Amino acid sequence: MSLYCIKIKYSKEAIKGMMEDGVDRADAMRSLSEALGGKLLAFYGMVGQHYHVMAITEVPEYANLSAGIVTALMANTMDDYKVIPLYKSSDITKVSAMYKEAIVNYKKPGN
């Protein structure tokens, strides 16, 4: 499973709907994540930022995340977003092992 941080800027239409209906968008994001085979791990609002909320989600692969983003964009829920791939600190041991295998075959420019 892959981890991603998604920063979301809501559309004015979405903000209007949230204010009129008093909807908790974490529930909507949780449902969408689960429908796409993922899991919503965290969901926080942000004050004074370009983006309104930040979510941490775990999905099988990037395509699952992309499908969720396209779904929200097509529904005019958000005006802008930013995706940040995340890793666990335990992944560094895997990276180290892969680096040690790769470096023996790598040729620097100019050599």
Side-chain angles (χ1 to χ4, degrees):
M1 297 285 267
S2 300
L3 291 168
Y4 295 95
C5 171
I6 306 107
K7 294 180 178 183
I8 298 167
K9 180 179 180 181
Y10 288 122
S11 67
K12 287 183 182 179
E13 180 182 329
I15 294 170
K16 182 179 183 214
M18 286 185 277
M19 294 301 103
E20 291 175 353
D21 299 337
V23 176
D24 182 351
R25 294 306 299 169
D27 291 337
M29 185 149 188
R30 184 175 295 104
S31 294
L32 181 58
S33 295
E34 290 172 0
L36 294 168
K39 181 178 180 183
L40 179 65
L41 302 177
F43 188 89
Y44 296 99
M46 300 187 297
V47 178
Q49 304 297 311
H50 174 74
Y51 299 99
H52 299 115
V53 296
M54 177 188 71
I56 308 290
T57 188
E58 186 175 43
V59 293
E61 60 182 312
Y62 188 74
N64 301 70
L65 179 69
S66 293
I69 290 168
V70 170
T71 300
L73 283 170
M74 298 306 292
N76 197 30
T77 302
M78 57 187 184
D79 280 343
D80 193 14
Y81 69 94
K82 181 174 184 168
V83 175
I84 304 167
L86 303 173
Y87 66 90
K88 296 177 183 174
S89 60
S90 60
D91 290 337
I92 295 301
T93 56
K94 294 177 193 172
V95 171
S96 175
M98 294 169 82
Y99 159 76
K100 289 172 185 173
E101 288 181 22
I103 194 66
V104 297
N105 296 314
Y106 181 75
K107 298 204 185 308
K108 294 189 286 186
N111 286 338

